Amino acid sequence: MKLYNIKENDEQVSFSQAVRQGLGRNQGLFFPSEVPAFDDVDSLLDMDFVSRSSKILSAFIGDELPADKVKQMVTEAFAFPAPLHEVSSDVHALELFHGPTLAFKDFGGRFMAQSLAAVSDGGKITILTATSGDTGAAVAHAFYGMENINVVILYPKGKISPLQEKLFCTLGGNIHTIAVNGTFDDCQAMVKQAFDDAELRQAIGLNSANSINISRLMAQICYYFEAVSQLTEAQRKELVIAVPSGNFGNLTAGLLAKAAGLPVKRFIAATNVNDTVPRYLKTGEWTPEDTVPTLSNAMDVSQPNNWPRIEELCQIKGWGLNELGAGAVDDQQTAETLSKMHEDGYLCEPHGAIAYRVLKEQLSDGEHGLFLCTAHPAKFKESVDEILNIDVPLPGPLAKHAVMDLLSNEQDADFAQLRRFLMELAG
Ligand SMILES: *Cc1c(COP(=O)(O)O)cnc(C)c1O
């Protein structure tokens, strides 16, 4: 598979290079030179999740990795289901939270871990990432126990939920977590400094594992096919999919699935009040504002880093941006929707509720709706308990980690200190 840099088109890389490198020159995102299109989608939809996903990913990766290798990677990575739940006669929820860290980021994180291992030359790799929650957990669990790979995760001390912290700071082994006395932005700034440090980058084999890595996006294409495979022929005909969006990786993957031949009538981008994209689609003006904290904090993003890929794909396919639905939901509406859904028999969490609300607002008669549930309700237990006045039980993985000891180091937002730590770790 060849990929090119969206900003500097003359930079072309292989799948292996794109996985190892993450970003191209001038911070440009990589994009496939050719998006595969399946002509017999029906027979693809008849296959089981792992076989179908292997076929899709093989088509995207091309001949760089043999098909049986890809199948082995997928078997390892997608070891949990992505079931549909019927919320009403015309709407299904796609539950993407049945993996080890209870969020959809498990799919991308685990496939990226497999990809990186598959294309590695055996040298040492250090994954350095900053997190405010879900990404850190998914990356930590995905890379846990892998040889030659050290993972270092920075997070703002006291600013992520205690349960989230327990989920990824209790593993030990090759997973190193650092509670930084500072904000998420301080953490991110240190990661950026590390990447700007050519000597360090070389010495420790630095990689970011963040959501711009193409292997994460490719993995996410597969669960859109899995969702449609569970619908009836009639439901597939007029399908509308709402995606709760922050950095817009999830929506990019959905649009790539459509480009590959998945029958989807329309996508809807649902955000919280950090609504740069819904406003842009309405006015044609890109005017990000300061990021506002919300109940759906995994979507508190005002400069979505995957958006250029969506524009690129729409341009290639000749799709107008006006074909994309969009809507923004504030915290009060999110809470109301969560309560209404619960009364009607479905326990959701803020991110999924936002997608459900915008979907319901924009779904026409005769259409079938699907919305993505990106996290388990227990992952946002503090707000879900308070809004619904219930006590959400902790599912297995959370309950297990909740009673374990935190293994995090603590440090100030001091790059020199982080640098010493990284150099010692890589030996
Ligand atoms: C990361 C995340 C999102 C946003 O996904 P993007 O691909 O960044 O748009 C939504 N919900 C949850 C629970 C998340 O963790």
Side-chain angles (χ1 to χ4, degrees), residues 103-105 134 220 244-250 298-299 351 374-375 380:
F104 81 97
K105 292 191 171 74
D134 285 349
Q220 292 173 244
S245 296
N247 268 319
F248 282 76
N250 217 349
M299 309 198 306
H351 305 78
T374 44
F380 292 89

Side-chain angles (χ1 to χ4, degrees), residues 138-160:
V139 167
H141 283 257
F143 286 93
Y144 181 55
M146 288 181 84
E147 262 171 59
N148 292 326
I149 302 185
N150 272 310
V151 175
V152 178
I153 302 176
L154 309 180
Y155 65 97
K157 184 174 155 68
K159 297 198 177 69
I160 69 174

Side-chain angles (χ1 to χ4, degrees), residues 37-191:
F38 298 97
D39 30 61
D40 194 358
V41 173
D42 284 339
S43 66
L44 202 55
L45 291 173
D46 283 340
M47 298 169 83
D48 67 85
F49 185 33
V50 166
S51 307
R52 182 193 322 110
S53 301
S54 308
K55 202 161 164 186
I56 294 169
L57 289 166
S58 270
F60 271 87
I61 293 170
D63 53 18
E64 263 173 80
L65 295 175
D68 56 349
K69 174 67 190 169
V70 174
K71 182 147 191 187
Q72 189 194 326
M73 290 157 62
V74 171
T75 307
E76 209 40 61
F78 297 178
F80 46 91
L84 292 189
H85 180 97
E86 189 180 277
V87 174
S88 63
S89 63
D90 62 346
V91 172
H92 279 91
L94 171 60
E95 296 187 340
L96 299 172
F97 52 73
H98 296 284
T101 73
L102 308 168
F104 81 97
K105 292 191 171 74
D106 281 328
F107 285 97
R110 290 167 65 90
F111 187 70
M112 178 177 172
Q114 291 296 320
S115 300
L116 202 54
V119 304
S120 142
D121 55 11
K124 278 216 177 87
I125 298 173
T126 305
I127 309 266
L128 176 65
T129 199
T131 189
S132 51
D134 285 349
T135 298
V139 167
H141 283 257
F143 286 93
Y144 181 55
M146 288 181 84
E147 262 171 59
N148 292 326
I149 302 185
N150 272 310
V151 175
V152 178
I153 302 176
L154 309 180
Y155 65 97
K157 184 174 155 68
K159 297 198 177 69
I160 69 174
S161 92
L163 221 47
Q164 288 268 34
E165 186 177 21
K166 285 279 189 172
L167 190 52
F168 70 95
C169 302
T170 50
L171 288 165
N174 62 329
I175 309 300
H176 309 271
T177 52
I178 302 180
V180 174
N181 294 310
T183 63
F184 175 66
D185 287 332
D186 293 331
C187 298
Q188 213 153 23
M190 284 200 287
V191 171

Side-chain angles (χ1 to χ4, degrees), residues 206-324:
L206 200 57
N207 190 301
S208 81
N210 67 12
S211 74
I212 47 93
N213 196 289
I214 195 74
S215 60
R216 285 183 48 166
L217 274 190
M218 285 180 2
Q220 292 173 244
I221 295 170
C222 301
Y223 54 65
Y224 286 93
F225 279 85
E226 175 65 4
V228 174
S229 80
Q230 296 170 64
L231 295 172
T232 64
E233 299 253 334
Q235 292 166 338
R236 288 175 196 176
K237 281 215 174 75
E238 299 268 304
L239 180 61
V240 178
I241 303 182
V243 184
S245 296
N247 268 319
F248 282 76
N250 217 349
L251 183 62
T252 308
L255 291 166
L256 281 168
K258 179 172 166 141
L262 191 70
V264 181
K265 184 176 171 190
R266 178 167 92 249
F267 279 95
I268 299 175
T271 70
N272 57 32
V273 293
N274 297 290
D275 60 349
T276 308
V277 168
R279 283 187 295 110
Y280 172 64
L281 292 175
K282 206 182 286 171
T283 65
E285 284 179 47
W286 187 262
T287 49
E289 288 169 0
D290 287 345
T291 306
V292 179
T294 71
L295 287 172
S296 50
N297 57 35
M299 309 198 306
D300 291 349
V301 179
S302 51
Q303 310 230 35
N305 59 16
N306 268 300
W307 185 256
R309 283 185 167 132
I310 292 184
E311 296 224 349
E312 187 79 3
L313 181 59
C314 287
Q315 204 199 331
I316 291 167
K317 300 299 293 181
W319 297 337
L321 281 178
N322 55 354
E323 294 168 43
L324 207 57

